[in-house]
Amino acid sequence: MKKFRRFVFAFSVCAMVFSCAGPSFAAANLLDGMSDADWRVLNIFFSNFCESRLGDFDAAGYDDTALISFAVSHNVINNRKLFKEDAAEGQYYIGKDRVNATIEKYFGIQGVTPQSAEEGFVIFKKDRYYWDDVFEGSPWFAGGQAVELHEGKDRTLSAVVEFYTDNEAFQNDVGKVNIKDFYAPKKSWKKNTAQYYDLSGYFGAKIAPRVKNGKKTYILLEWREAETLEEARKLIGE
């Protein structure tokens, strides 16, 4: 995660409902026994989708362009050095293989059909993805805090995620803010961390844990936006 520059990057995916076979919420919140280090990994994972403004998503039925848009946006935010300038086109681009690798990393999905996406902001040509607005705007931040985690069927996990955005205090102290402090569990935030972020909404999520390159991580199966905590709980079956 890094500070990044403000740009408009809206995602649209057909809204999908969560499976009726939701998790059993009689079980304890798995976060209660989770170490701060593992909880931080989970927060960083969810923050990738918050900062890129991923819309409602369901791995059981999705639009390839939403995954492409996410992957390009994610790399704009976190891996700008991977973008190269095409002087003839007057744009920056990233290779198709890198976009495919990002989609596989976060969704476990392969074989996405290369194509333009996001109403012309992402343009596929010459086996590359071009992005019109790589370095525009002022620094800003968005991220997620997992507040509930429950075990579901087939080794999946269901979560409620708080969605945070930066505020005026963040903008005033942008050169002093260490955004790495955000990803710690909220109960372990430093004294001044909370002043820089506003709670802006919630998400309900379904994920699957996996180990890749020797590290524990997750893939996203479902992601639904909610206005309230109660709504987010209902989305994941509570």
Side-chain angles (χ1 to χ4, degrees):
M1 304 300 119
K2 298 178 182 177
K3 294 174 190 173
F4 52 91
R5 303 200 172 267
R6 192 178 304 274
F7 57 86
V8 178
F9 201 105
F11 290 89
S12 58
V13 182
C14 295
M16 299 289 179
V17 296
F18 275 80
S19 169
C20 293
S24 172
F25 287 91
N29 183 352
L30 298 178
L31 295 175
D32 291 341
M34 184 175 285
S35 69
D36 278 13
D38 287 343
W39 198 334
R40 182 185 183 89
V41 169
L42 196 61
N43 286 341
I44 290 173
F45 177 76
F46 287 131
S47 291
N48 285 289
F49 309 108
C50 292
E51 68 186 11
S52 293
R53 300 298 202 269
L54 178 67
D56 289 355
F57 169 80
D58 190 330
Y62 57 88
D63 185 341
D64 281 358
T65 60
L67 301 183
I68 292 167
S69 295
F70 166 82
V72 174
S73 174
H74 171 78
N75 284 294
V76 167
I77 295 165
N78 297 287
N79 300 302
R80 290 190 180 182
K81 63 183 180 181
L82 297 177
F83 283 80
K84 299 180 180 179
E85 185 175 9
D86 186 331
E89 296 287 344
Q91 293 174 310
Y92 289 85
Y93 69 88
I94 189 170
K96 178 183 69 175
D97 290 346
R98 180 67 190 194
V99 169
N100 291 343
T102 300
I103 293 170
E104 197 285 326
K105 177 179 180 180
Y106 289 100
F107 301 93
I109 293 172
Q110 299 178 348
V112 170
T113 302
Q115 57 192 291
S116 298
E118 205 52 46
E119 299 180 352
F121 282 101
V122 177
I123 302 167
F124 183 74
K125 56 187 175 183
K126 298 189 292 188
D127 219 32
R128 305 165 174 172
Y129 286 99
Y130 287 79
W131 169 243
D132 265 342
D133 203 20
V134 175
F135 303 118
E136 295 293 328
S138 58
W140 70 301
F141 176 83
Q145 281 276 327
V147 293
E148 293 185 17
L149 186 68
H150 303 276
E151 188 172 0
K153 295 184 177 181
D154 302 322
R155 298 185 68 246
T156 62
L157 300 169
S158 294
V160 172
V161 181
E162 292 180 336
F163 172 53
Y164 286 86
T165 54
D166 67 281
N167 56 26
E168 186 176 354
F170 179 98
Q171 291 296 321
N172 291 338
D173 292 345
V174 68
K176 304 175 184 177
V177 180
N178 184 353
I179 64 169
K180 291 182 179 180
D181 294 340
F182 172 87
Y183 302 113
K186 194 167 57 174
K187 65 182 178 63
S188 301
W189 272 0
K190 294 180 178 179
K191 185 176 180 180
N192 67 338
T193 300
Q195 69 178 314
Y196 294 124
Y197 308 102
D198 291 337
L199 179 61
S200 300
Y202 299 85
F203 289 96
K206 184 176 180 180
I207 60 178
R210 68 173 178 174
V211 176
K212 189 167 185 177
N213 299 324
K215 295 183 179 181
K216 182 179 180 181
T217 184
Y218 305 90
I219 57 173
L220 186 69
L221 302 176
E222 299 179 34
W223 183 252
R224 294 286 308 279
E225 186 174 4
E227 292 186 1
T228 65
L229 176 62
E230 291 73 20
E231 184 182 347
R233 286 172 170 163
K234 290 179 181 177
L235 287 173
I236 62 172
E238 185 172 356

